[in-house]
């Protein structure tokens, strides 16, 4: 995956500007880039973001992804200028090229680096990330009920699994704003960054994953977490037993053990290409 700086033609912004990509070693940093609108979500932004995620998933040199927002916020939710006309949209207009939960299908770790407001669809996108970092400016609101909307895009499945059923009910019904301290206390933020840059902290974490953890192991663990959420415990154990035997027969276990005993950094193989790149 190559770097994707902002692109303009005769001073006119293109869709490439909507999400910027920057390589930081084995990590790609994706920045939602509509700062004047607190990175409000639009179909064009979504297409660009998903394209970059697909490219990262297909690039063997990229082993983790960090997502942040430009300016004062992470993502303020759906662009209200678009929502103003949504009642006139046809069913065909609402169909998107990729499912909205496409980030959940990315095999590589996605780490959110959150500053400022996270609202509505922005909250959903943050929940699609595997791990969430935030600084003291981060604040969250579901927003849906205050816009006459329902809880969208699987948030009623995701949020209770992160913060618990009762807290999810409170946040979704009230749409109240919570600050970074409360978000960290209830588990919505995994890491609260109190000094330095939240982006740098998230990139450092993602780099540690990239350098020390087997890409195939991380991809498999992500799929286990997703699939086992709806399985019984015995089925989860049986699935893990099968996957463990497969892992024993692969090269990563041997390399993981050898590198530990030899006190060196592991040299795990990259993931093969993904079908997402042309999805």
């Amino acid at each position: 995956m190559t770097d994707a700086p902002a692109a303009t033609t005769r001073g006119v912004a293109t869709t490439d500007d909507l999400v910027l990509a920057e390589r930081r070693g084995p990590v790609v940093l994706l920045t939602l880039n509509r700062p004047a609108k607190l990175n409000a979500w639009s179909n064009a932004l979504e297409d660009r973001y998903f394209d970059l995620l697909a490219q990262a998933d297909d690039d063997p040199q990229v082993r983790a992804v960090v997502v942040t927002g430009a300016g004062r916020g992470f993502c303020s939710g759906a662009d209200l200028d678009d929502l103003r006309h949504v009642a006139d949209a046809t069913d065909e207009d609402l169909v998107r090229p990729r499912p909205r939960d496409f980030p959940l299908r990315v095999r590589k770790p996605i780490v959110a680096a959150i500053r400022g407001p996270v609202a509505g669809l922005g909250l959903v996108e943050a929940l699609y990330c595997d791990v969430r970092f935030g600084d003291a400016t981060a604040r969250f609101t579901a927003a849906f009920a205050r816009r006459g909307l329902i809880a969208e895009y699987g948030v009623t499945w995701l949020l209770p699994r992160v913060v618990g059923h009762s807290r999810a009910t409170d946040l979704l019904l009230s749409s109240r704003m919570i600050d970074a301290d409360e978000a960290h206390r209830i588990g919505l933020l995994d890491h609260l960054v109190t000094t330095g840059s939240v982006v740098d902290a998230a990139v450092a974490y993602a780099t540690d994953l990239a350098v020390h953890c087997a890409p195939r192991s991380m991809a498999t663990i992500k799929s286990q977490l997703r699939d086992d959420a709806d399985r019984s415990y015995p089925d989860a154990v049986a699935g893990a037993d099968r996957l463990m035997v497969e892992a024993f027969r692969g090269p990563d276990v041997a390399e993981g053990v050898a590198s530990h005993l030899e006190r060196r950094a592991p040299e795990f193989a990259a993931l093969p290409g993904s079908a997402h790149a042309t999805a």
Side-chain angles (χ1 to χ4, degrees):
M1 183 177 187
T2 58
D3 291 356
T8 60
T9 302
R10 296 182 180 179
V12 178
T14 72
T15 55
D16 286 356
D17 289 312
L18 294 173
V19 184
L20 308 179
E22 175 190 347
R23 279 292 297 276
R24 296 198 182 183
V27 176
V28 64
L29 172 64
L30 302 183
T31 302
L32 309 180
N33 189 41
R34 300 184 75 198
K37 289 199 168 189
L38 292 175
N39 305 310
W41 201 263
S42 67
N43 286 345
L45 183 148
E46 176 177 292
D47 291 341
R48 171 69 172 160
Y49 176 49
F50 287 4
D51 283 348
L52 289 170
L53 284 179
Q55 291 173 30
D57 209 30
D58 193 55
D59 188 339
Q61 301 305 312
V62 173
R63 299 206 170 188
V65 178
V66 172
V67 182
T68 193
R72 298 186 297 109
F74 180 76
C75 177
S76 59
D79 192 320
L80 293 183
D81 288 336
D82 295 340
L83 278 182
R84 187 176 298 171
H85 307 291
V86 72
D88 300 324
T90 67
D91 290 346
E92 290 75 18
D93 292 333
L94 299 176
V95 173
R96 304 294 301 134
R98 293 185 177 99
R100 263 274 159 68
D101 63 356
F102 175 74
L104 294 177
R105 304 164 193 231
V106 173
R107 300 169 298 167
K108 298 173 183 179
I110 304 176
V111 181
I114 296 170
R115 298 173 294 209
V118 183
L121 183 52
L123 173 61
V124 179
E125 292 300 329
L127 289 168
Y128 287 158
C129 296
D130 299 299
V131 179
R132 286 165 294 282
F133 281 66
D135 68 11
T137 69
R139 55 191 193 276
F140 301 80
T141 175
F144 302 119
R146 299 196 182 199
R147 302 291 179 269
L149 297 165
I150 54 87
E152 299 174 338
Y153 304 115
V155 69
T156 50
W157 190 94
L158 293 164
L159 190 59
R161 285 166 169 78
V162 173
V163 303
H165 180 87
S166 181
R167 284 174 174 152
T169 302
D170 166 32
L171 296 179
L172 290 170
L173 291 183
S174 71
S175 290
R176 67 184 181 87
M177 185 76 74
I178 65 170
D179 63 17
D181 286 334
E182 182 174 0
H184 185 235
R185 176 173 57 80
I186 66 177
L188 186 54
L189 280 178
D190 301 296
H191 300 270
L192 180 58
V193 179
T194 56
T195 59
S197 162
V198 67
V199 172
D200 289 346
V203 169
Y205 174 89
T207 301
D208 184 72
L209 297 182
V211 171
H212 295 108
C213 300
R216 192 178 302 274
S217 293
M218 293 192 290
T220 300
I221 289 168
K222 284 188 62 170
S223 68
Q224 286 179 276
L225 287 166
R226 181 180 63 248
D227 297 342
D228 288 349
D230 293 324
R231 288 177 177 165
S232 68
Y233 175 73
D235 287 343
V237 171
D241 288 345
R242 176 181 56 78
L243 292 168
M244 183 170 60
V245 171
E246 293 177 6
F248 285 159
R249 292 172 178 165
D252 287 342
V253 171
E255 174 59 14
V257 172
S259 61
H260 178 73
L261 294 175
E262 296 166 13
R263 298 186 178 182
R264 60 172 173 82
E267 298 179 2
F268 293 120
L271 286 172
S274 166
H276 295 321
T278 56

